[in-house]
Amino acid sequence: MKTAAQLIENKKHKEVISIAPNRPVIDALIILAEYKIGALVVMDQDRMVGIFSERDYAREVVLKGQSSKVTKIEEVMTKNVLVGQGKDTFEKAMTLMTENHIRHLPIMDGHKVIGMLSLGDVAKEMIVYQKNLIKELESYVKT
């Protein structure tokens, strides 16, 4: 079973895509659109201080009538961020995400952010894992 770190290694964008907390929301939206992703890690220097997602934008900016050009990321980001560890299995990451109703999970190696997994990333890996398991079981039954 692959680890969270292995899934990150196989992603199109392996690097941590982040934004500073003092930047305006519009900058985050531009980055999200450019990379075709749904969330950014919010970094103050080399320390994660939050996460900004499309949900944060919808709930904290749009629905509250805020301006994305004036509102700062730190005003609307999610501050209490659940994280996974690189050594965790993708199944553990998926469980954490589904139980807590989150779609994006920063992955850490100690205190360093090494990447971000989406629910889609782990679901895709679960499908591959289950297909391989079925093949193995069919092979076993035939012998």
Side-chain angles (χ1 to χ4, degrees):
M1 190 171 285
K2 287 187 181 175
T3 65
Q6 288 171 318
L7 289 188
I8 288 169
E9 274 302 308
N10 294 331
K11 287 182 66 119
K12 181 178 180 182
H13 303 293
K14 293 175 182 69
E15 73 276 11
V16 177
I17 303 170
S18 65
I19 192 160
N22 62 346
R23 300 271 298 276
V25 169
I26 190 70
D27 290 355
L29 297 176
I30 290 167
I31 295 168
L32 292 173
E34 178 183 334
Y35 285 93
K36 295 182 171 107
I37 56 176
L40 297 170
V41 176
V42 182
M43 300 288 287
D44 187 5
Q45 307 285 326
D46 56 355
R47 185 174 69 93
M48 182 177 67
V49 294
I51 189 172
F52 177 79
S53 69
E54 295 166 327
R55 279 185 179 179
D56 294 319
Y57 176 67
R59 292 175 179 169
E60 301 297 326
V61 180
V62 175
L63 290 178
K64 293 184 178 177
Q66 305 270 0
S67 167
S68 58
K69 292 181 181 177
V70 176
T71 306
K72 302 289 183 210
I73 295 293
E74 61 198 347
E75 298 171 43
V76 296
M77 70 184 185
T78 299
K79 294 178 177 99
N80 297 324
V81 182
L82 290 173
V83 299
Q85 295 296 319
K87 62 181 170 35
D88 292 344
T89 64
F90 76 86
E91 186 178 37
K92 183 174 180 180
M94 182 179 229
T95 299
L96 184 62
M97 294 167 83
T98 54
E99 286 178 353
N100 291 282
H101 308 286
I102 59 174
R103 294 182 184 152
H104 300 91
L105 185 67
I107 302 299
M108 310 289 286
D109 184 7
H111 296 290
K112 181 182 179 203
V113 181
I114 60 170
M116 176 99 74
L117 289 179
S118 71
L119 196 52
D121 295 330
V122 293
K124 184 169 60 173
E125 184 58 32
M126 180 60 84
I127 290 167
V128 169
Y129 176 77
Q130 288 178 342
K131 282 182 179 179
N132 289 335
L133 187 59
I134 289 167
K135 283 181 186 177
E136 287 178 27
L137 291 171
E138 286 173 342
S139 174
Y140 177 76
V141 169
K142 288 178 184 176
T143 59

